Amino acid sequence: MEASSITCQIPSAINDIHLIKHALPQWTNVEGQVLVKFAASPINKVDMMVLSGSYPVSPSATHDGAPIPGFDGCAVVVRSNSSRFQPGDLVIPARLGLGTWRTHAVFPDENLIKLPRDTPPLAAALLRSNVAIAWLLLHEVIPLKAGDWIIMTAGTSCVAHFVVQFAKIEGVKVVLVVRDSEEAEEDRERLLGLGAEMVLTEAEVVARPSFPEPIVLALDCVFGPTGEALLDVVATGATYVLLGVLRGINETVILKAKHLFTKQITLRTFRGSAILAQKEDGGVEALFDGLAQMFVDNLLTIPEIDVREWPVDESVMREVLERVQANTPGTRKCVWLFKDD
Amino acid sequence: MEASSITCQIPSAINDIHLIKHALPQWTNVEGQVLVKFAASPINKVDMMVLSGSYPVSPSATHDGAPIPGFDGCAVVVRSNSSRFQPGDLVIPARLGLGTWRTHAVFPDENLIKLPRDTPPLAAALLRSNVAIAWLLLHEVIPLKAGDWIIMTAGTSCVAHFVVQFAKIEGVKVVLVVRDSEEAEEDRERLLGLGAEMVLTEAEVVARPSFPEPIVLALDCVFGPTGEALLDVVATGATYVLLGVLRGINETVILKAKHLFTKQITLRTFRGSAILAQKEDGGVEALFDGLAQMFVDNLLTIPEIDVREWPVDESVMREVLERVQANTPGTRKCVWLFKDD
């Protein structure tokens, strides 16, 4: 077997990122040691921030001294010196920075979390940064019950894809907001088909529509005029959560005293990693296991993804990274899918 | 004994508010009935809102069909058909709307809460709307511990007076913000003497001072540029609470994505009455009793108050109400103090 890794400098000019081939990582027969082969590794926003040097956590993995990026992904156990893992087990990293943009890695067992073996690799690769975040947004912001209405911007995002599906299972009604674009009608049809209760364009939300029921939660990835419109359309006592700043960190919202004082809206942000970090021993593993099992049981579907087979040609790799970096609205989630040997 | 009440129409032109003299309210010897004589009744913002017809709760008390305003105050039990109260007991209303701007009233006992008999009447009259609110602000917004720094606008307010004193007892450091005025230096001296850690004018806060320690909580009664400055000076992860809109409900704040997303500030409002309503049986009584006892034990001082002896001349009464209505910055809390017979 031949191994390969993407290595780079941090911060990295995309031309300095290379796919290198090398021997399998060294197996030293240490107690608790596990050799894995990656199955699928997504390119997340955080990975691009790491490459640009704007993320506070750096890769802890290196090859010949060069950092190996990739914070998320899933792998299959090839060889194990740990009683907790058997060859064939499907695993995901237990913490950030382990380097998932490579075929093979040797980890101590405490760095891995086991998932059901028949979890689809693409689902497992999205589990932490997309599936679990969507689940936490519905369960760890405010108490939601069947019949509640919520609104979410970036309606075509991977997280929104899972928010809609979890909400549908629990009877929560989701209004999705999509950007104003030529694809808006197509997006609307697709997202209604997925289970969204309503789909509006940003312009339609700024026009302050009314809703059949009060909106108790707004999940906003856009801010600016769209965020402001959300404050106007949500119900008294609602919570507004800023999840991302797709239009850039310099956007502002005109916050009215009425929003806070009369409508009693609470405004806050959300850090999924902080919530996961507060879970008691075993809580995170149980959550990931349960979510993965929902894919096995066909309760969740995987969104349309830009799958790139590994090993990739370096020029293709750079083109992919540049496209993800540019972050054009509607860019699909991109995942490295590792070929079986 | 002669009784008197202030009666009015709701909404009320101040000229239609009258102080009328009348016989003591009827004592019908019903089980649980309590006759009280008021000792002190404040004029709170909510009372002025009731008079102007802009508060959702109307007075439930009337005399000859005319509403009796006054939501807050303390009284002494004169006669009791309830095992819970003895003549001489000091009491406050258990709910809003009972009509406290009168000398005498007959209430069912469930409408009254007993305080320690030696509580100063002025303290008892401020207990619900000022003392308890200050206590809740320090205990029911975020967990605070000794050494934490907080900032509060409307630094010369009655609530700020008690926030500073509770904070001092618990080792919490309070930065008070006072309006830019000729009295600012005098206010600064007085509030530092009371126990504030720092006193700044609004202009000084807008100039974005730095603080020796991170500010974890902002209690804002002003909004607008002052509120915005608070968002800039508080620490990452801080909570900003809008308590009032002294500059008017149409004020706005330019909320930056950085405030929410990078600094992870939570913005919300605060309703003391909602928090009290959620307390279990006996919780409110125990809280009020404990706070009143702090005055008995000389742990708390009463702020400078504009005390008006009752019965007041009608023209004086109207002048007082007009002054409170105008709400000029620096207007002292006004309290009707009832003469002993």
Side-chain angles (χ1 to χ4, degrees), chain B residues 100-133:
Chain B
T100 59
W101 293 4
R102 52 176 161 169
T103 55
H104 295 80
V106 171
F107 295 121
D109 58 3
E110 72 262 23
N111 280 349
L112 299 172
I113 293 173
K114 200 188 310 193
L115 298 183
R117 281 195 183 196
D118 40 4
T119 310
L122 286 181
L126 301 178
L127 203 63
R128 177 190 296 271
S129 302
N130 296 273
V131 185
I133 294 302

Side-chain angles (χ1 to χ4, degrees), chain B:
Chain B
M1 274 194 295
E2 191 179 41
S4 57
S5 302
I6 287 177
T7 61
C8 62
Q9 295 307 314
I10 308 286
S12 190
I14 283 179
N15 276 341
D16 294 332
I17 301 172
H18 299 287
L19 180 77
I20 57 162
K21 298 191 175 182
H22 54 82
L24 287 189
Q26 210 184 355
W27 178 261
T28 53
N29 229 14
V30 168
E31 175 68 24
Q33 190 175 253
V34 181
L35 172 69
V36 303
K37 181 176 186 305
F38 277 94
S41 297
I43 304 173
N44 288 327
K45 194 182 157 198
V46 63
D47 296 317
M48 299 313 294
M49 291 170 73
V50 166
L51 293 183
S52 68
S54 62
Y55 193 74
V57 182
S58 297
S60 53
T62 57
H63 182 81
D64 282 347
I68 300 170
F71 273 9
D72 214 349
C74 73
V76 177
V77 172
V78 176
R79 197 170 170 184
S80 171
N81 235 340
S82 161
S83 59
R84 294 176 48 216
F85 297 97
Q86 302 301 318
D89 281 349
L90 189 70
V91 294
I92 58 173
R95 64 174 181 81
L96 299 182
L98 295 182
T100 59
W101 293 4
R102 52 176 161 169
T103 55
H104 295 80
V106 171
F107 295 121
D109 58 3
E110 72 262 23
N111 280 349
L112 299 172
I113 293 173
K114 200 188 310 193
L115 298 183
R117 281 195 183 196
D118 40 4
T119 310
L122 286 181
L126 301 178
L127 203 63
R128 177 190 296 271
S129 302
N130 296 273
V131 185
I133 294 302
W135 193 89
L136 294 174
L137 285 172
L138 287 175
H139 293 87
E140 305 262 358
V141 177
I142 61 165
L144 289 170
K145 56 183 193 308
D148 282 342
W149 281 58
I150 70 174
I151 191 165
M152 182 174 189
T153 59
T156 60
S157 70
C158 228
V159 173
H161 174 93
F162 293 113
V163 163
V164 166
Q165 291 186 84
F166 287 127
K168 193 168 186 191
I169 290 167
E170 303 185 18
V172 170
K173 312 291 184 185
V174 183
V175 181
L176 286 184
V177 182
V178 299
R179 69 194 186 289
D180 306 302
S181 75
E182 288 179 3
E183 294 80 36
E185 283 314 310
E186 196 181 304
D187 290 338
R188 199 189 307 257
E189 287 309 308
R190 184 170 52 80
L191 296 172
L192 288 171
L194 184 67
E197 191 71 21
M198 289 174 71
V199 179
L200 303 173
T201 64
E202 291 184 5
E204 285 167 347
V205 173
V206 169
R208 316 283 192 274
S210 60
F211 300 96
E213 297 289 334
I215 307 273
V216 296
L217 175 65
L219 304 172
D220 186 20
C221 309
V222 177
F223 214 57
T226 307
E228 213 169 302
L230 294 181
L231 296 177
D232 287 328
V233 301
V234 296
T236 296
T239 297
Y240 164 95
V241 183
L242 185 63
L243 303 178
V245 282
L246 286 181
R247 290 243 188 77
I249 192 70
N250 292 320
E251 280 287 314
T252 60
V253 150
I254 309 289
L255 182 65
K256 299 171 192 158
K258 286 176 186 169
H259 291 142
L260 287 176
F261 198 68
T262 313
K263 284 185 83 173
Q264 301 179 61
I265 299 172
T266 296
L267 295 93
R268 44 169 285 196
T269 188
F270 170 89
R271 299 273 161 123
S273 55
I275 295 175
L276 290 175
Q278 281 166 13
K279 290 210 176 278
E280 298 293 317
D281 278 356
V284 174
E285 288 80 353
L287 175 63
F288 286 172
D289 188 79
L291 295 174
Q293 189 61 43
M294 292 179 76
F295 288 96
V296 176
D297 297 341
N298 288 315
L299 296 173
L300 295 174
T301 69
I302 299 165
E304 289 185 36
I305 287 177
D306 184 4
V307 172
R308 292 306 170 119
E309 208 167 76
W310 181 297
V312 285
D313 182 78
E314 278 207 345
S315 65
V316 172
M317 174 190 77
R318 292 200 190 107
E319 174 242 307
V320 168
L321 294 181
E322 268 163 12
R323 192 151 48 75
V324 177
Q325 184 86 279
N327 200 22
T328 315
T331 306
R332 282 189 192 163
K333 169 71 67 184
C334 190
V335 175
W336 309 124
L337 188 68
F338 296 80
K339 265 195 209 161
D340 288 331
D341 287 317

